[in-house]
Amino acid sequence: MQRPLVALKIVLVGNSAVGKSSLLLRFAEGTFAELPATVGVDFRVISLENVQGYRVKLTCWDTAGQEKFRTLTSSYYRGAHGVIMVYGIDDPESLKHLETAWLEEARRYVNNPNAVYMIVGNKSDLPTAVVPRADGRRLAERVGALFLETSAKSGSGVSECFVELVARILEAQPHVTGDGEQAGVQLEAGPYHETASCLC
Amino acid sequence: MTSGSNPAEAVESSVLADGTYDVVITGTGLTECILSGLLSKRGFKVLHIDRNPYYGGACASLDLQQMWKKFCLSGSIPEELGSAREYNIDLIPKFILATGKLVRILVYTGATRYLDFKLVDGSFVHTGDRPHRVPSTPMDALRSSLFSLLEKNRCRQFFGFVQSYDPEQVTQRGPDPRTMTMRALYDYFGLQETTRTLIGHAIALYTNDAYLEWPALPTIERIKVYAQSVARYGSSPYIYPMYGLGELPQAFARLSAVHGGVYMLRTDVETILTDTETGRVCGIRTPDGREARCRFVVGDPSYFPDLVHRVGRIIRCYCILRAAPAHIREASSCQVIVLHRAVAAERRNDIYVLVLNSAHRVAAPDRYIALVSTVMETADAEQEIEAGLAILGGEANILARFLTVDDVFEPIHDGRECGIFVSRSYDATTHFESTTEDVLDLYRRIVGEELMFDDKPV
């Protein structure tokens, strides 16, 4: 028998240049080989074959540059099951902003009380970390988020980050199974749905 | 990810964002956001700013806290209204025709992927006694209680003519809508005055009777769009986005950003910079002295008070209802057009009532919102919309209401000479066809050619 399918929405937030897109690229590239150069990444759909007995269709939304001046739209967050909040371990400001800006915005617009938050310290390949790992971990504990350090460059910690998040989401909200399609009207037939990866 | 300065650094610099763009767009209303998306998609470098901390400008959707603030209400929000956050009240009440031009743009651009739409349950017309379902096909005409027996047949013939009319394949027999006025076409079918009003106002969706003296063809096309929209999904010709119309500008803003458009909120314009030699626009300056250079500026009327003139006023009243209004209980969302004749003999414009509830995520559970609007004809706004409020189930059913009178502006020039393109205010119509036409017209003037849709049927 086939494993049940779960569709999940993940959003990435955090300051510019902390490596959100690279993180996503690294994770997606392990699954899909070729990715054309792009102006902006909209979202990527990644399939995980077995997480706790489920097949998972993960739609990961990137900020499309709208994080730069803090102009992400409320619909970006809406319906998210998981929020990945990224800082750079070379950039103390980016960790501070997770607490003072991004967490507040995400909590305001993610209309899902069971959403799982994860704080990710990226660029762990850098030889000298300016931000001690303990600082990131402490913030995660204080706000009830998961914590990991990753390197999008070397790949270290990247798939663990996504898989761990998905596992916790499945624990936190056992009723998410289904293909996630809305019951609303479909304005067009086919072309914009079920694309493996949307690169505009 | 684009690397760049964080907001704290940008404030100190005298350059706004990257400093040089093809277009600076001011205001994040729907018109501006669609244009931003279309222009970015075409390869223009776009900077899009808004003085407000939120998207949507004049056509944002507000929750109750924002409504309380906008209308300067003191005191706390009554508990019986439910959770304030669950409201999304459209400042410009409109629905979307399921086969109209906005849907074509949504599909063409792919902005649909950021939106979820649901059907609107019903479309009614109020002729004086109670709301009736709007008939739009020959079969509806026969069934409708709005017509006498003889009129049913005339009406059936009229709808039959409209359905089969194809301007590409005109036969010599029968009336020619390309040359005759709509009044003459009604005369040809011998339709009664009340039927004409119903067709012109509840189906062709004109706000008044000026169209009678215009060529009949555009009216025929409007009737066809309405009928096709009903046929597309069933009970009404309208669809509406979950969480309110404010989602529309946000979806197009996202589209623009994905194609490289840069967004800044809380950013106003103090000066439009012009090249002294050519007289054309060459940039903008913010109140804190930051500048961005550009070839064109596009914006809504509120940013260009000297470049617009007032063409009218619209009364809009936002109501929160305890329960569904009587007569339309079967529909959790609907439009009711109160015909001008049903209000007063001298009234020229209809009153529009849009009703929505939590099915579209715009109200707290069990509560309804009703958006009543009309073109202002006198000096007494309260009195003018009374007939619209009257169908909402009495004062006891109206838990809160907010009344506003908005000026309607049009640009004084087409912008081609100076490079400043100003959009029109949102009009009184209950759908987005005129807004979309303004977008396409602005696009034509800015780019110098028509927007070519993929013309696949939608």
Side-chain angles (χ1 to χ4, degrees):
Chain A
M1 204 180 83
Q2 228 186 6
R3 284 185 285 270
L5 178 71
V6 178
L8 298 177
K9 174 178 175 177
I10 306 288
V11 296
L12 284 118
V13 296
N15 278 12
S16 294
V18 295
K20 296 183 294 298
S21 297
S22 319
L23 212 56
L24 194 46
L25 186 72
R26 164 62 73 177
F27 184 53
E29 221 170 338
T31 318
F32 302 106
E34 278 175 43
L35 290 161
T38 54
V39 177
V41 174
D42 201 355
F43 57 83
R44 294 173 196 277
V45 180
I46 298 151
S47 297
L48 303 175
E49 276 313 309
N50 185 0
V51 183
Q52 300 185 342
Y54 293 100
R55 279 184 306 137
V56 179
K57 182 182 132 191
L58 207 54
T59 308
C60 298
W61 291 73
D62 202 352
T63 52
Q66 283 181 308
E67 85 289 354
K68 188 171 174 185
F69 297 109
R70 303 262 341 266
T71 55
L72 283 169
T73 59
S74 49
S75 51
Y76 179 72
Y77 293 98
R78 195 168 287 135
H81 301 95
V83 182
I84 298 180
M85 305 197 295
V86 188
Y87 70 93
I89 64 161
D90 59 338
D91 179 3
E93 278 296 298
S94 68
L95 176 63
K96 212 171 101 195
H97 273 153
L98 287 191
E99 190 173 18
T100 57
W102 297 113
L103 184 68
E104 189 196 311
E105 186 169 295
R107 288 216 167 127
R108 181 175 168 83
Y109 294 117
V110 173
N111 58 339
N112 172 4
N114 295 321
V116 179
Y117 293 75
M118 175 174 250
I119 290 175
V120 172
N122 192 34
K123 307 189 187 179
S124 66
D125 54 283
L126 293 177
T128 46
V130 183
V131 185
R133 181 175 298 183
D135 287 10
R137 188 181 299 281
R138 249 197 311 274
L139 174 62
E141 278 166 11
R142 197 160 65 238
V143 302
L146 307 172
F147 176 75
L148 259 179
E149 278 195 355
T150 60
S151 166
K153 197 171 173 187
S154 74
S156 143
V158 175
S159 58
E160 289 88 332
C161 152
F162 286 88
V163 171
E164 170 76 3
L165 181 65
V166 169
R168 292 301 181 87
I169 291 169
L170 292 173
E171 282 169 21
Q173 37 204 358
H175 305 301
V176 291
T177 53
D179 64 359
E181 293 300 325
Q182 292 282 337
V185 296
Q186 297 296 319
L187 298 191
E188 73 284 90
Y192 297 108
H193 294 273
E194 298 298 325
T195 46
S197 162
C198 180
L199 307 166
C200 298
Chain B
M1 191 81 42
T2 46
S3 65
S5 54
N6 66 37
E9 281 166 9
V11 175
E12 284 157 21
S13 154
S14 66
V15 174
L16 186 62
D18 295 341
T20 308
Y21 293 87
D22 293 313
V23 198
V24 173
I25 303 181
T26 60
T28 52
L30 180 59
T31 305
E32 288 72 32
C33 285
I34 300 177
L35 273 170
S36 179
L38 292 172
L39 293 173
S40 293
K41 202 170 151 75
R42 200 190 154 93
F44 282 65
K45 201 175 170 207
V46 174
L47 173 64
H48 199 163
I49 63 179
D50 194 308
R51 62 167 82 89
N52 293 314
Y54 52 83
Y55 282 95
C59 54
S61 301
L62 304 186
D63 66 22
L64 287 191
Q65 254 149 14
Q66 291 170 309
M67 286 298 279
W68 246 250
K69 198 171 160 202
K70 180 179 167 66
F71 287 90
C72 305
L73 296 177
S74 54
S76 57
I77 299 164
E79 240 169 59
E80 59 181 349
L81 299 184
S83 164
R85 281 259 184 93
E86 288 184 82
Y87 286 87
N88 288 294
I89 298 175
D90 303 328
L91 295 180
I92 306 287
K94 283 179 186 291
F95 284 160
I96 300 166
L97 277 165
T99 61
K101 289 197 185 81
L102 180 58
V103 168
R104 287 177 56 193
I105 289 191
L106 281 162
V107 172
Y108 166 71
T109 57
T112 45
R113 71 170 74 99
Y114 311 124
L115 298 159
D116 290 312
F117 291 95
K118 263 186 87 167
L119 193 63
V120 172
D121 291 337
S123 173
F124 299 91
V125 59
H126 197 290
T127 52
D129 54 347
R130 64 178 175 83
H132 300 264
R133 284 208 173 262
V134 176
S136 63
T137 65
M139 194 53 92
D140 290 347
L142 290 179
R143 286 201 201 113
S144 178
S145 55
L146 284 162
F147 310 118
S148 69
L149 204 56
L150 283 176
E151 188 70 357
K152 273 184 190 186
N153 199 38
R154 289 190 286 262
C155 204
R156 183 183 60 82
Q157 284 174 349
F158 173 80
F159 283 133
F161 169 77
V162 170
Q163 263 188 358
S164 58
Y165 181 75
D166 180 354
E168 306 287 308
Q169 297 175 347
V170 183
T171 57
Q172 290 305 304
R173 285 170 290 115
D176 186 352
R178 292 171 305 177
T179 54
M180 69 203 303
T181 63
M182 196 60 209
R183 185 189 297 284
L185 189 67
Y186 284 147
D187 288 343
Y188 179 89
F189 286 95
L191 295 177
Q192 289 171 351
E193 204 57 40
T194 50
T195 310
R196 296 175 187 213
T197 306
L198 180 89
I199 291 170
H201 293 243
I203 301 172
L205 300 167
Y206 288 107
T207 60
N208 60 50
D209 272 339
Y211 77 99
L212 285 171
E213 312 309 328
W214 303 343
L217 188 56
T219 304
I220 299 282
E221 281 166 352
R222 278 168 167 243
I223 297 169
K224 285 178 106 161
V225 167
Y226 185 96
Q228 285 161 1
S229 295
V230 174
R232 176 126 170 112
Y233 298 116
S235 53
S236 97
Y238 299 114
I239 56 172
Y240 184 88
M242 301 293 280
Y243 302 100
L245 295 177
E247 296 294 293
L248 292 170
Q250 295 191 29
F252 284 100
R254 166 92 190 171
L255 177 81
S256 177
V258 166
H259 288 88
V262 174
Y263 276 80
M264 299 180 79
L265 302 175
R266 298 183 179 87
T267 305
D268 206 350
V269 179
E270 189 176 70
T271 319
I272 304 287
L273 308 171
T274 10
D275 184 318
T276 43
E277 269 174 43
T278 62
R280 286 185 63 87
V281 69
C282 65
I284 58 128
R285 185 185 302 135
T286 64
D288 57 3
R290 289 175 291 167
E291 288 181 11
R293 298 276 147 180
C294 61
R295 294 190 290 137
F296 310 108
V297 171
V298 183
D300 75 51
S302 70
Y303 290 85
F304 306 97
D306 301 337
L307 297 181
V308 294
H309 63 111
R310 197 178 78 185
V311 293
R313 286 201 228 165
I314 298 175
I315 308 166
R316 296 186 170 113
C317 186
Y318 317 101
C319 305
I320 299 168
L321 308 182
R322 186 184 301 280
H327 302 300
I328 48 178
R329 289 225 166 94
E330 78 235 54
S332 69
S333 56
C334 68
Q335 168 181 277
V336 184
I337 297 178
V338 183
L339 292 177
H340 58 122
R341 285 168 200 282
V343 178
E346 68 279 7
R347 187 157 184 88
R348 298 184 310 278
N349 291 279
D350 303 327
I351 299 172
Y352 298 126
V353 182
L354 307 188
V355 178
L356 290 156
N357 72 1
S358 61
H360 284 92
R361 301 281 185 275
V362 296
D366 302 330
R367 298 287 174 252
Y368 281 70
I369 58 173
L371 311 168
V372 182
S373 63
T374 190
V375 173
M376 193 169 191
E377 295 182 8
T378 70
D380 188 350
E382 286 274 356
Q383 195 262 326
E384 277 193 59
I385 55 156
E386 222 167 66
L389 297 178
I391 65 167
L392 300 181
E395 282 300 322
N397 199 38
I398 303 176
L399 298 174
R401 73 185 207 208
F402 313 85
L403 182 82
T404 175
V405 176
D406 299 324
D407 288 326
V408 181
F409 295 107
E410 276 183 8
I412 53 173
H413 59 60
D414 76 0
R416 271 188 271 229
E417 237 166 72
C418 61
I420 302 171
F421 300 89
V422 185
S423 62
R424 295 158 176 267
S425 302
Y426 300 95
D427 65 16
T429 57
T430 60
H431 50 74
F432 285 102
E433 295 304 281
S434 50
T435 302
T436 316
E437 267 158 36
D438 191 29
V439 169
L440 295 175
D441 191 44
L442 283 159
Y443 183 91
R444 189 182 307 122
R445 282 183 265 147
I446 296 164
V447 175
E449 57 186 66
E450 300 277 337
L451 176 70
M452 299 307 279
F453 292 91
D454 273 355
D455 230 344
K456 55 182 178 252
V458 297

